[in-house]
């Protein structure tokens, strides 16, 4: 328990604590959560943002682990030589397996990463279909690490890519330290118990690989993420961005960041 509390303290240090965005450690969920699955069962795709924004996890879809650090910086949390063993397990339909396969294919075709069916490797991604929402850890954490895709997580091709990119080592785009230049967080429209999902990293704690802010990143929140009233919770400060929060494909800047991290 001591180590868990110490780790959570580090997470607080990593993230910028604006007056209205303070992390409540008691609310952090570090294991799969059935209430997140039930929330996703009731998800309205037109009124409530993306599927992975429905969970009760850290930032909606991130599982925190005792030995996790800033995965986009530590080489121990990168996948060796960009090769990612994986295994699909659970009650996926043939159509759903094709969605997963297509997401993996897009990542492989656009980047230097290579996904390989597990052949006995100790560290690998285990893709599951539990009724606990859409979620992943960030970066390689060791042994079998789950990427969970409840049925609703497979309705948008890019949601699968989003969760796989967490496992590769990427956080959400709008948590960048420089995000306040590009977006405004509309606190008054955010669910009161989800406001800490909009915290940002302090300068020097994130790694952008020299790639500018990306409204079209598959890792960016949608305008309606965690809305309490159906109104936007995040808006562009650089003119209208109709594709903000898209879950259709890797953006060009997503591809650049992955290749700079791994190639």
């Amino acid at each position: 328990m001591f180590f868990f509390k110490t780790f959570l303290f580090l997470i607080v240090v990593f993230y910028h604590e604006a007056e209205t965005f303070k992390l409540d450690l008691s609310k952090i969920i570090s294991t799969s959560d059935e209430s997140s699955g039930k929330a996703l069962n009731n998800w309205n795709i037109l009124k409530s943002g993306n599927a992975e924004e429905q969970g009760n996890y850290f930032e909606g879809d991130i599982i925190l682990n005792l030995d996790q650090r800033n995965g986009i910086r530590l080489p121990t949390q990168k996948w060796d030589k960009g090769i990612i063993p994986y295994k699909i397990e659970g009650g996926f339909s043939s159509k759903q397996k094709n969605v997963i396969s297509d997401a993996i294919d897009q990542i492989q075709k656009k980047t230097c990463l290579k996904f390989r069916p597990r052949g006995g490797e100790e560290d690998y991604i285990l893709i599951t279909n539990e009724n606990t929402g859409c979620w992943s850890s960030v970066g390689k954490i060791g042994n079998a690490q789950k990427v969970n895709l409840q049925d609703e997580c497979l309705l948008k091709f890019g949601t699968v890519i989003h969760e796989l990119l967490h496992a590769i080592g990427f956080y959400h785009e709008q948590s960048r330290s420089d995000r306040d230049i590009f977006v405004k967080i509309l606190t008054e429209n955010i669910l009161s118990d989800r406001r800490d999902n909009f915290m940002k990293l302090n300068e020097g704690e994130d790694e952008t690989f020299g790639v500018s802010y990306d409204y079209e990143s598959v890792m960016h929140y949608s305008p309606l993420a965690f809305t309490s009233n159906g109104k936007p919770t995040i808006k562009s400060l650089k003119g209208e961005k109709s594709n903000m929060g898209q879950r259709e494909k890797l953006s060009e800047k997503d591809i650049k960041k992955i290749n700079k991290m791994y190639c």
Side-chain angles (χ1 to χ4, degrees):
M1 180 61 72
F2 170 76
F3 292 107
F4 185 61
K5 289 182 178 179
T6 301
F7 168 68
L8 294 181
F9 172 76
L10 288 173
I11 292 295
V12 175
V13 172
F14 283 162
Y15 276 80
H16 171 74
E17 289 192 81
E19 182 177 355
T20 57
F21 304 137
K22 294 185 178 181
L23 185 60
D24 184 347
L25 302 184
S26 67
K27 294 180 181 177
I28 288 183
I29 297 174
S30 59
T31 59
S32 58
D33 169 54
E34 291 185 358
S35 67
S36 293
K38 292 177 181 178
L40 190 52
N41 289 150
N42 297 321
W43 170 51
N44 184 324
I45 194 170
L46 298 177
K47 298 181 179 180
S48 305
N50 291 316
E52 71 279 7
E53 296 162 0
Q54 310 308 308
N56 298 321
Y57 306 104
F58 184 64
E59 295 192 356
D61 66 337
I62 294 176
I63 291 278
L64 298 179
N65 300 275
L66 293 178
D67 56 352
Q68 190 175 354
R69 296 296 184 269
N70 192 335
I72 57 176
R73 285 195 162 197
L74 292 183
T76 54
Q77 283 200 272
K78 291 174 60 177
W79 294 89
D80 189 33
K81 299 180 181 178
I83 298 174
I84 305 163
Y86 74 98
K87 179 181 179 181
I88 298 176
E89 181 177 277
F92 293 105
S93 68
S94 296
K95 183 177 179 180
Q96 290 173 332
K97 287 180 179 179
N98 287 338
V99 173
I100 295 169
S101 177
D102 289 346
I104 288 173
D105 284 347
Q106 182 175 120
I107 296 171
Q108 292 189 130
K109 287 176 181 178
K110 298 289 187 178
T111 75
C112 62
L113 294 174
K114 299 298 178 186
F115 287 77
R116 298 285 185 263
R118 185 191 178 215
E121 294 89 350
E122 181 178 354
D123 300 331
Y124 65 100
I125 289 175
L126 181 61
I127 302 175
T128 57
N129 186 226
E130 299 171 0
N131 197 45
T132 55
C134 318
W135 52 265
S136 175
S137 302
V138 177
K140 185 180 75 173
I141 63 172
N143 302 310
Q145 65 180 78
K146 288 184 178 181
V147 169
N148 193 71
L149 301 171
Q150 186 172 314
D151 289 348
E152 291 86 350
C153 310
L154 293 143
L155 294 177
K156 290 187 177 181
F157 174 75
T159 301
V160 180
I161 296 176
H162 180 101
E163 297 305 332
L164 290 174
L165 259 59
H166 276 318
I168 288 165
F170 288 92
Y171 288 92
H172 294 120
E173 181 72 3
Q174 78 290 330
S175 68
R176 287 172 55 138
S177 60
D178 62 352
R179 68 104 184 271
D180 290 339
I181 301 171
F182 302 95
V183 296
K184 180 178 181 180
I185 307 302
L186 303 173
T187 310
E188 65 275 16
N189 297 331
I190 301 172
L191 291 164
S192 60
D193 60 348
R194 296 291 186 271
R195 289 177 180 171
D196 52 11
N197 287 341
F198 289 82
M199 291 188 298
K200 67 177 183 178
L201 288 158
N202 287 315
E203 186 175 356
E205 292 172 349
D206 54 353
E207 177 56 80
T208 64
F209 302 98
V211 179
S212 59
Y213 194 88
D214 186 11
Y215 294 100
E216 296 186 4
S217 172
V218 77
M219 303 307 290
H220 202 294
Y221 275 179
S222 70
L224 295 177
F226 308 102
T227 182
S228 62
N229 53 17
K231 296 180 181 180
T233 56
I234 183 169
K235 72 173 184 178
S236 166
L237 293 176
K238 303 293 183 180
E240 184 178 352
K241 304 294 180 182
S242 61
N243 285 335
M244 186 167 68
Q246 63 86 18
R247 293 296 182 268
E248 302 302 326
K249 62 181 181 178
L250 289 167
S251 72
E252 291 302 314
K253 292 180 182 180
D254 286 331
I255 294 166
K256 278 186 180 181
K257 280 187 281 190
I258 294 170
N259 285 334
K260 287 193 174 189
M261 180 176 180
Y262 276 98
C263 303

